[in-house]
Amino acid sequence: MSSTAAKAKAKTPALSDQEIQQTYVRLQNELQALARKIGELESEADEHRRVLVLVTLDEALAEDPDRKCFRLIGGVLVERTVKDVSPALKTNRDGIRKVMSTLAEQYKTKEKDLDEFKREYNIRPVQQ
């Protein structure tokens, strides 16, 4: 064990078995919550791609920017023009991608934290 690791272990307060278990479960739950959120955002981003909303709007924008279109906002169908909706959807898509990237980084960090915790306390999941 390196001297840095020994110092870090010396600074770490001793946890009871119950505290170790609670911390392990908490870390697992945090990982699962991040994974769920990433899945939801991937689904939402996939809707944009699958339906080809932006491609269709870009074609309509080229033909007639003042053409009416409808957008569902918070459960309410709102009438707008293509020139208003297209930039908003692109911003939304880019925001989703950015949040997904941030969540993926958080997931990797939490995963490393969990692995370190398991290694530090010699935790091995029970085989069923």
Side-chain angles (χ1 to χ4, degrees):
M1 183 183 303
S2 70
S3 62
T4 309
K7 288 178 187 176
K9 192 161 186 129
K11 291 180 184 178
T12 305
L15 298 177
S16 69
D17 289 345
Q18 185 177 5
E19 291 171 325
I20 291 170
Q21 184 177 7
Q22 289 172 345
T23 303
Y24 179 73
V25 169
R26 180 183 52 81
L27 289 170
Q28 281 185 317
N29 289 340
E30 289 173 2
L31 270 177
Q32 289 173 350
L34 282 171
R36 273 194 303 275
K37 188 63 179 173
I38 290 169
E40 290 170 12
L41 290 173
E42 284 176 344
S43 174
E44 193 172 324
D46 191 43
E47 281 182 31
H48 283 13
R49 285 190 294 267
R50 185 178 59 244
V51 180
L52 302 173
V53 173
L54 290 172
V55 172
T56 304
L57 282 177
D58 284 343
E59 291 171 3
L61 187 61
E63 292 174 15
D64 181 12
D66 293 319
R67 180 177 172 177
K68 279 195 272 184
C69 70
F70 296 90
R71 182 174 180 206
L72 192 62
I73 301 175
V76 177
L77 196 58
V78 181
E79 182 179 330
R80 296 281 190 251
T81 62
V82 173
K83 69 182 176 190
D84 295 331
V85 171
S86 184
L89 286 180
K90 288 179 183 176
T91 302
N92 189 21
R93 177 200 59 200
D94 295 342
I96 290 170
R97 287 179 180 168
K98 186 182 247 185
V99 170
M100 283 174 51
S101 174
T102 302
L103 288 176
E105 288 300 316
Q106 287 177 0
Y107 185 88
K108 289 177 188 175
T109 302
K110 288 284 182 195
E111 196 172 40
K112 286 179 186 176
D113 291 347
L114 180 61
D115 288 342
E116 288 174 18
F117 185 80
K118 285 168 42 177
R119 203 172 15 262
E120 181 178 346
Y121 290 98
N122 197 24
I123 296 173
R124 291 187 178 78
V126 177
Q127 300 295 326
Q128 294 181 354

